[in-house]
């Protein structure tokens, strides 16, 4: 095998490995099986796009969008399809860490 071919195969092997680790570490779900839930709050409490959404303490999604509409904060949540949220669930914006990170908690 030529030296150029070996270098090319090594290069693409390294790229593939980096992609796989990026997906694993980044917790990307490449299947795209999500649904969205729009929740209204009186106050946003510092919630931002990308913050985690937890259902009974387990991360089930992320905050997709935060909007201010007619005096109400509307937070759109992106929930993994495999996690069903009951109709009587309550939503709360809480501190995720003592350093000020936020999360949406579903009970």
């Amino acid at each position: 095998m030529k030296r150029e071919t070996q270098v090319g195969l090594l290069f693409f092997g390294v790229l593939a490995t980096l992609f796989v680790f990026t997906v694993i570490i980044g917790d990307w779900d490449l299947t795209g099986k999500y649904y969205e839930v729009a929740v209204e709050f009186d106050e946003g409490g510092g919630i931002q796009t990308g913050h985690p959404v937890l259902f009974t303490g387990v991360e089930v999604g992320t905050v997709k969008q935060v909007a201010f509409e007619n005096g109400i904060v509307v937070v759109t949540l992106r929930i993994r399809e495999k996690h069903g949220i009951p109709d009587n669930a309550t939503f709360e914006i809480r501190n995720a860490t003592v350093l000020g990170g936020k999360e949406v908690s579903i009970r």
Side-chain angles (χ1 to χ4, degrees), residues 9-25:
L9 289 175
L10 178 65
F11 175 75
F12 285 113
V14 169
L15 277 181
T17 303
L18 286 175
F19 176 75
V20 168
F21 281 117
T22 301
V23 169
I24 292 171
I25 292 172

Side-chain angles (χ1 to χ4, degrees), residues 23-37:
V23 169
I24 292 171
I25 292 172
D27 195 26
W28 291 355
D29 188 354
L30 299 178
T31 61
K33 295 181 181 179
Y34 289 87
Y35 64 95
E36 293 182 2
V37 176

Side-chain angles (χ1 to χ4, degrees), residues 8-90:
L9 289 175
L10 178 65
F11 175 75
F12 285 113
V14 169
L15 277 181
T17 303
L18 286 175
F19 176 75
V20 168
F21 281 117
T22 301
V23 169
I24 292 171
I25 292 172
D27 195 26
W28 291 355
D29 188 354
L30 299 178
T31 61
K33 295 181 181 179
Y34 289 87
Y35 64 95
E36 293 182 2
V37 176
V39 184
E40 297 179 350
F41 293 100
D42 293 330
E43 294 182 23
I47 197 74
Q48 296 177 358
T49 301
H51 281 164
V53 176
L54 283 80
F55 180 50
T56 60
V58 176
E59 187 170 334
V60 296
T62 58
V63 175
K64 180 180 179 186
Q65 181 181 21
V66 180
F68 188 71
E69 300 174 5
N70 302 322
I72 296 174
V73 178
V74 179
V75 179
T76 304
L77 308 176
R78 187 171 178 239
I79 310 291
R80 287 183 199 91
E81 201 172 82
K82 63 183 178 182
H83 301 289
I85 305 299
D87 292 337
N88 64 347
T90 58

